[in-house]
Amino acid sequence: MTQRIAVLGATGSIGDSTLAILADHPQDYTVYALSGYQRLDKLFALCQQFKPTRVCVPTKDVDSFAQRLSAAGLSIDVVGGKAGLIDIATDVQTDTVVAAIVGAAGLPSTLAAARAGKRILLANKEALVMAGEVLIRAVKTHKATLLPIDSEHNAIFQCLPASIQQDHAQIHDVSHGVRKLWLTASGGPFLNQTFEQMQRASVAQAVKHPNWSMGQKISVDSATMMNKGLELIEACHLFDLPEDKINVVMHPQSIIHSMVEYSDGSYLAQLGSPDMKTPIAHALSYPNRIDSGSQPLDLFALSALEFIKPDLQKFACLRLARQAMQAGTQATIVLNAANEIAVASFLDGQIRLTDIADINERTLTQVSVSTLGRDADIDDILAIDTLARRHTKMIVSKMA
Ligand code: NDP
Ligand code: MG
């Protein structure tokens, strides 16, 4: 039987990689549903190529998109907005949801998929940063399956014992001999540049990642290393470990995608070309393996693998992520919201790249929210998110 896949965020970079794999394995996977947001011409072309059963666009575009599809002779159910994304994520026909929407916008559909007991391939790290406890609890309660496709977390997942993989990848304690996790970080385009050079960086320089080709938001996050900060928080929730059990090491070659350190001194690492098709294919076919179409690693061409300690002054966002994780979920929601606004403001030309960390820190210290209890739900989370966004916009408007 084929697995019916809903790709939420189909028009983005993760969407591209996912659909490239699905196109290569039509006998194993059916593209059941797709979603897009602004790039609707691209979404239309994907509808022509993959002929999904359902598609989701912003609410205002539902009618015109439906007309366009029917004029092209395509009979596809068009749904709109957040409700449309949730409808697709919970559809009884959907087996697997690829959660590849960027930012907080990806949270409601990801959570809905968990509550519907789906198999979720998670790219959207912001969902875990905002709602880690709620999302993991929903996965366990509703017997959903959460498979990380963020390359570092996918690498760690692959290096864990099968018994932990099958227990929702939750390590809980050190009884399995796991001593630490090591997240690798490329360091992005400014690894070897000074803070002053970073301060003068243009948008084009900031989004030009040395090893990976990704969407704009995550590319800026990689330049500030907020991406590694978000991934640290993501790893705490995914693997149920405190932040002090997770180390970050700079590894400019992006060949080792992360490591698990065991108590006997073994370090298990997952290596591969820096290509998101590998972790996506792993999660699609787990526990089996399929051809991802990525380039094999040329080990003879690798001259050296370097490991460097991160500079937390230059990359203050990484320090902020640890602080927020120690403070609690309310702080990680604030940090994520502040960062989304700050990154959008940088991409808009309103602030400098290095202002992002300042703005994030100011929002974290200035927005006061009470500690979220264990029974907190998505509405409580979104209320904090809204409050923090409003505050960050005020900081940005004063700076610009
Ligand atoms: P892109 O910007 O390339 O794609 C984002 C997708 O989300 C697009 O389909 C976009 O639609 C859609 N989208 C944006 N805003 C909204 C919204 N408000 N409502 C509904 N849909 C929306 O991002 P990436 O593919 O690079 O990243 C996606 C997620 O995966 C992020 O959370 C990122 O951190 C994570 N990730 C990405 C990696 C990568 O290599 N790219 C690696 C690991 C994790 P449209 O384009 O039509 O506007
Ligand atoms: Mg990553």
Side-chain angles (χ1 to χ4, degrees):
M1 219 179 68
T2 70
Q3 219 186 110
R4 285 161 304 202
I5 317 282
V7 186
L8 303 184
T11 44
S13 162
I14 293 289
D16 286 344
S17 299
T18 305
L19 289 166
I21 301 168
L22 299 181
D24 281 347
H25 299 275
Q27 65 288 8
D28 298 321
Y29 306 101
T30 303
V31 178
Y32 178 69
L34 299 174
S35 89
Y37 191 62
Q38 286 183 314
R39 286 175 274 192
L40 295 187
D41 288 338
K42 179 168 179 182
L43 185 65
F44 179 75
L46 293 175
C47 287
Q48 288 181 306
Q49 183 184 352
F50 291 98
K51 301 188 173 54
T53 304
R54 311 190 71 188
V55 64
C56 184
V57 295
T59 311
K60 65 175 176 35
D61 300 306
V62 169
D63 291 343
S64 56
F65 201 75
Q67 278 163 17
R68 202 171 159 190
L69 290 173
S70 74
L74 292 167
S75 157
I76 299 175
D77 176 39
V78 185
V79 291
K82 191 175 133 187
L85 292 171
I86 292 176
D87 188 354
I88 285 174
T90 57
D91 185 330
V92 285
Q93 304 273 354
T94 301
D95 297 315
T96 297
V97 174
V98 179
I101 290 174
V102 62
L107 172 60
S109 51
T110 306
L111 186 58
R115 289 183 171 154
K118 302 297 183 189
R119 182 175 170 110
I120 303 166
L121 272 49
L122 186 71
N124 177 258
K125 60 193 82 184
E126 295 89 349
L128 275 175
V129 172
M130 295 175 72
E133 287 93 353
V134 177
L135 187 58
I136 298 292
R137 203 185 315 137
V139 166
K140 290 179 182 169
T141 308
H142 300 279
K143 300 195 168 40
T145 304
L146 188 62
L147 295 165
I149 55 179
D150 203 346
S151 57
E152 295 76 4
H153 307 74
N154 182 272
I156 289 168
F157 183 93
Q158 294 198 46
C159 295
L160 289 173
S163 60
I164 294 186
Q165 290 181 357
Q166 281 143 25
D167 184 20
H168 301 288
Q170 301 273 287
I171 299 169
H172 304 301
D173 52 37
V174 291
S175 57
H176 298 271
V178 173
R179 195 190 273 159
K180 271 203 156 92
L181 305 182
W182 288 84
L183 288 176
T184 54
S186 69
F190 303 106
L191 175 63
N192 297 315
Q193 304 212 12
T194 62
F195 184 80
E196 289 66 34
Q197 285 172 310
M198 229 175 123
Q199 222 165 14
R200 292 193 298 270
S202 66
V203 169
Q205 288 168 327
V207 300
K208 198 173 176 319
H209 197 280
N211 308 338
W212 299 91
S213 147
M214 310 180 287
Q216 289 220 310
K217 194 254 174 184
I218 183 174
S219 297
V220 175
D221 284 346
S222 297
T224 61
M225 283 197 74
M226 187 69 236
N227 183 48
K228 212 50 56 183
L230 297 175
E231 290 184 354
L232 174 82
I233 300 167
E234 180 187 10
C236 292
H237 292 296
L238 264 178
F239 305 116
D240 193 19
L241 285 180
E243 56 82 28
D244 61 359
K245 293 273 181 224
I246 304 173
N247 285 357
V248 173
V249 60
M250 316 282 266
H251 167 49
Q253 292 77 21
S254 298
I255 295 298
I256 293 181
H257 298 306
S258 279
M259 292 173 268
V260 179
E261 176 187 337
Y262 286 90
S263 51
D264 61 3
S266 298
Y267 287 66
L268 298 196
Q270 185 258 359
L271 286 71
S273 301
D275 184 338
M276 287 307 294
K277 291 203 289 298
T278 297
I280 295 169
H282 168 266
L284 273 171
S285 59
Y286 178 81
N288 303 313
R289 299 270 177 181
I290 53 170
D291 184 351
S292 68
S294 66
Q295 285 299 313
L297 200 53
D298 185 352
L299 290 170
F300 297 113
L302 289 176
S303 52
L305 297 180
E306 296 169 278
F307 301 98
I308 305 160
K309 198 172 178 161
D311 175 346
L312 294 184
Q313 271 192 311
K314 188 164 135 193
F315 297 114
C317 286
L318 186 53
R319 168 176 61 78
L320 294 178
R322 274 201 197 277
Q323 276 173 18
M325 190 64 212
Q326 282 164 4
T329 299
Q330 66 289 345
T332 65
I333 301 167
V334 170
L335 178 60
N336 180 68
N339 185 59
E340 285 195 30
I341 298 297
V343 170
S345 308
F346 169 68
L347 289 170
D348 258 10
Q350 297 181 61
I351 58 166
R352 295 171 302 184
L353 181 70
T354 46
D355 293 332
I356 294 175
D358 279 349
I359 291 170
N360 289 351
E361 184 149 32
R362 282 163 65 182
T363 310
L364 257 184
T365 43
Q366 290 169 5
V367 173
S368 77
V369 281
S370 44
T371 306
L372 273 182
R374 270 196 60 80
D375 55 348
D377 204 359
I378 185 155
D379 291 336
D380 306 302
I381 290 166
L382 293 177
I384 297 177
D385 175 75
T386 306
L387 185 76
R389 278 169 200 265
R390 206 179 300 140
H391 192 87
T392 312
K393 280 182 186 160
M394 198 187 68
I395 297 177
V396 171
S397 68
K398 283 190 186 156
M399 283 175 91

